[in-house]
Coordinates of all heavy atoms in Angstrom, one line a residue:
A1 N -13.4 -65.7 -38.5 CA -13.8 -64.3 -38.1 C -15.2 -64.3 -37.6 O -16.0 -65.2 -37.9 CB -13.7 -63.4 -39.3
P2 N -15.6 -63.3 -36.8 CA -17.0 -63.2 -36.3 C -17.9 -63.0 -37.5 O -17.6 -62.5 -38.5 CB -16.9 -61.9 -35.5 CG -15.5 -61.6 -35.2 CD -14.7 -62.2 -36.3
L3 N -19.1 -63.5 -37.3 CA -20.2 -63.4 -38.3 C -20.5 -61.9 -38.5 O -20.6 -61.1 -37.5 CB -21.4 -64.1 -37.8 CG -22.5 -64.3 -38.8 CD1 -22.0 -65.2 -39.9 CD2 -23.7 -65.0 -38.1
A4 N -20.5 -61.4 -39.7 CA -20.8 -60.0 -40.0 C -22.3 -59.9 -40.4 O -22.9 -60.9 -40.9 CB -19.9 -59.6 -41.2
L5 N -22.9 -58.8 -40.1 CA -24.3 -58.6 -40.3 C -24.6 -57.2 -40.9 O -24.0 -56.2 -40.4 CB -25.0 -58.7 -38.9 CG -26.5 -58.4 -38.9 CD1 -27.3 -59.5 -39.6 CD2 -27.0 -58.2 -37.5
M6 N -25.5 -57.2 -41.8 CA -26.1 -56.0 -42.3 C -27.6 -56.1 -42.0 O -28.2 -57.2 -42.3 CB -25.9 -55.8 -43.8 CG -26.6 -54.5 -44.2 SD -27.3 -54.6 -45.9 CE -28.4 -56.0 -45.9
Y7 N -28.2 -55.1 -41.4 CA -29.7 -55.2 -41.1 C -30.3 -53.8 -41.5 O -29.7 -52.8 -41.1 CB -30.0 -55.5 -39.6 CG -31.4 -55.4 -39.2 CD1 -32.4 -56.0 -40.0 CD2 -31.8 -54.6 -38.2 CE1 -33.8 -55.9 -39.6 CE2 -33.1 -54.4 -37.8 CZ -34.1 -55.1 -38.6 OH -35.4 -54.9 -38.2
V8 N -31.3 -53.8 -42.2 CA -32.0 -52.6 -42.6 C -33.5 -52.7 -42.2 O -34.1 -53.8 -42.4 CB -31.9 -52.4 -44.2 CG1 -32.7 -51.2 -44.6 CG2 -30.5 -52.3 -44.6
S9 N -34.0 -51.7 -41.6 CA -35.4 -51.7 -41.3 C -36.0 -50.3 -41.6 O -35.3 -49.3 -41.5 CB -35.6 -52.0 -39.8 OG -35.1 -51.1 -38.9
R10 N -37.3 -50.3 -41.9 CA -38.0 -49.1 -42.3 C -39.2 -49.0 -41.2 O -39.7 -50.0 -40.8 CB -38.6 -49.2 -43.7 CG -39.0 -47.8 -44.2 CD -39.3 -47.8 -45.7 NE -40.1 -48.9 -46.1 CZ -41.4 -48.8 -46.3 NH1 -42.0 -47.7 -46.1 NH2 -42.1 -49.9 -46.7
W11 N -39.5 -47.7 -40.9 CA -40.4 -47.4 -39.8 C -41.5 -46.5 -40.3 O -41.3 -45.8 -41.4 CB -39.7 -46.9 -38.6 CG -38.8 -48.0 -38.1 CD1 -37.5 -48.3 -38.5 CD2 -39.1 -49.0 -37.1 NE1 -37.0 -49.4 -37.9 CE2 -38.0 -49.8 -37.0 CE3 -40.3 -49.2 -36.4 CZ2 -38.0 -50.9 -36.2 CZ3 -40.2 -50.3 -35.5 CH2 -39.1 -51.1 -35.4
S12 N -42.6 -46.3 -39.5 CA -43.7 -45.4 -39.9 C -43.3 -43.9 -40.0 O -43.9 -43.1 -40.6 CB -44.8 -45.6 -39.0 OG -44.5 -45.2 -37.6
S13 N -42.2 -43.6 -39.2 CA -41.7 -42.2 -39.2 C -40.3 -42.2 -38.8 O -39.7 -43.1 -38.3 CB -42.5 -41.4 -38.2 OG -42.2 -41.9 -36.8
A14 N -39.7 -41.0 -39.0 CA -38.3 -40.8 -38.6 C -38.1 -41.0 -37.1 O -37.1 -41.5 -36.6 CB -37.8 -39.4 -39.1
E15 N -39.1 -40.5 -36.3 CA -39.0 -40.6 -34.9 C -39.0 -42.1 -34.4 O -38.2 -42.4 -33.6 CB -40.2 -39.9 -34.2 CG -40.2 -40.0 -32.7 CD -41.4 -39.3 -32.1 OE1 -42.1 -38.6 -32.7 OE2 -41.5 -39.6 -30.9
K16 N -39.8 -42.9 -35.1 CA -39.9 -44.3 -34.7 C -38.6 -45.0 -35.1 O -38.1 -45.9 -34.4 CB -41.1 -45.0 -35.3 CG -42.4 -44.5 -34.8 CD -42.5 -44.6 -33.3 CE -43.8 -44.0 -32.8 NZ -43.8 -43.9 -31.3
A17 N -38.0 -44.6 -36.3 CA -36.7 -45.2 -36.7 C -35.6 -44.8 -35.7 O -34.8 -45.7 -35.3 CB -36.4 -44.6 -38.1
A18 N -35.6 -43.6 -35.2 CA -34.6 -43.1 -34.3 C -34.8 -43.8 -32.9 O -33.8 -44.1 -32.2 CB -34.7 -41.6 -34.1
E19 N -36.1 -44.1 -32.6 CA -36.4 -44.8 -31.3 C -35.8 -46.3 -31.4 O -35.1 -46.7 -30.5 CB -37.9 -44.8 -31.1 CG -38.3 -45.2 -29.7 CD -39.8 -45.0 -29.5 OE1 -40.4 -44.1 -30.1 OE2 -40.3 -45.8 -28.7
F20 N -36.1 -46.9 -32.5 CA -35.5 -48.3 -32.7 C -34.0 -48.3 -32.7 O -33.4 -49.1 -32.1 CB -36.1 -48.9 -34.0 CG -35.4 -50.3 -34.3 CD1 -35.9 -51.4 -33.6 CD2 -34.4 -50.4 -35.2 CE1 -35.3 -52.6 -33.8 CE2 -33.8 -51.6 -35.4 CZ -34.3 -52.7 -34.7
A21 N -33.4 -47.3 -33.4 CA -31.9 -47.2 -33.5 C -31.4 -47.0 -32.1 O -30.4 -47.6 -31.7 CB -31.5 -46.0 -34.4
G22 N -32.0 -46.2 -31.2 CA -31.6 -46.1 -29.8 C -31.7 -47.4 -29.0 O -30.8 -47.7 -28.3
I23 N -32.7 -48.1 -29.2 CA -32.9 -49.4 -28.6 C -31.8 -50.4 -29.0 O -31.2 -51.1 -28.2 CB -34.3 -50.0 -28.8 CG1 -35.3 -49.2 -28.0 CG2 -34.3 -51.5 -28.3 CD1 -36.7 -49.4 -28.4
Y24 N -31.6 -50.4 -30.3 CA -30.5 -51.3 -30.9 C -29.2 -50.9 -30.3 O -28.4 -51.8 -29.9 CB -30.5 -51.2 -32.4 CG -29.8 -52.4 -33.0 CD1 -30.6 -53.5 -33.5 CD2 -28.5 -52.5 -33.1 CE1 -30.0 -54.6 -34.1 CE2 -27.9 -53.6 -33.7 CZ -28.6 -54.7 -34.2 OH -28.0 -55.8 -34.7
A25 N -28.9 -49.6 -30.2 CA -27.6 -49.1 -29.7 C -27.5 -49.6 -28.2 O -26.4 -50.0 -27.8 CB -27.5 -47.6 -29.8
R26 N -28.5 -49.4 -27.5 CA -28.5 -49.8 -26.1 C -28.2 -51.3 -25.9 O -27.6 -51.8 -25.0 CB -29.8 -49.4 -25.4 CG -29.8 -49.6 -23.9 CD -31.0 -49.0 -23.2 NE -32.2 -49.4 -23.9 CZ -33.4 -48.8 -23.6 NH1 -33.5 -47.9 -22.7 NH2 -34.5 -49.2 -24.2
S27 N -28.7 -52.1 -26.9 CA -28.5 -53.6 -26.8 C -27.0 -54.0 -27.0 O -26.6 -55.1 -26.5 CB -29.3 -54.3 -27.9 OG -28.6 -54.2 -29.2
L28 N -26.2 -53.1 -27.5 CA -24.8 -53.5 -27.8 C -24.1 -53.7 -26.4 O -23.2 -54.6 -26.4 CB -24.1 -52.4 -28.5 CG -24.6 -52.0 -29.9 CD1 -23.9 -50.9 -30.6 CD2 -24.6 -53.3 -30.8
Q29 N -24.4 -53.0 -25.4 CA -23.8 -53.2 -24.1 C -24.1 -54.5 -23.5 O -23.3 -55.1 -22.7 CB -24.2 -52.1 -23.1 CG -23.9 -50.7 -23.5 CD -22.4 -50.5 -23.8 OE1 -21.5 -51.0 -23.0 NE2 -22.0 -49.7 -24.8
K30 N -25.2 -55.1 -23.9 CA -25.6 -56.5 -23.4 C -25.1 -57.6 -24.3 O -24.8 -58.7 -23.8 CB -27.1 -56.6 -23.3 CG -27.7 -55.6 -22.3 CD -29.2 -55.7 -22.2 CE -29.8 -54.7 -21.2 NZ -31.2 -54.7 -21.2
R31 N -24.9 -57.3 -25.5 CA -24.5 -58.3 -26.5 C -23.0 -58.4 -26.7 O -22.5 -59.5 -27.1 CB -25.1 -58.0 -27.9 CG -26.6 -58.1 -27.8 CD -27.3 -57.7 -29.1 NE -26.6 -58.2 -30.3 CZ -26.2 -57.3 -31.3 NH1 -26.5 -56.1 -31.3 NH2 -25.5 -57.8 -32.3
Y32 N -22.2 -57.4 -26.3 CA -20.8 -57.5 -26.4 C -20.1 -57.2 -25.1 O -20.7 -56.5 -24.2 CB -20.3 -56.4 -27.4 CG -20.7 -56.6 -28.8 CD1 -21.8 -56.0 -29.4 CD2 -19.9 -57.5 -29.6 CE1 -22.1 -56.2 -30.7 CE2 -20.3 -57.7 -30.9 CZ -21.4 -57.1 -31.5 OH -21.7 -57.3 -32.8
K33 N -18.9 -57.8 -24.9 CA -18.2 -57.6 -23.6 C -17.8 -56.2 -23.5 O -17.7 -55.6 -22.5 CB -17.0 -58.5 -23.5 CG -17.3 -60.0 -23.4 CD -16.1 -60.9 -23.4 CE -16.5 -62.3 -23.4 NZ -15.4 -63.2 -23.7

């Protein structure tokens, strides 16, 4: 089976957390077919 991952990160503010979450979401299109 594919490697499963859990990743947790904390940020200076909710806005910065949401910004990182958006970047991570955008990365999915490049990381998966």
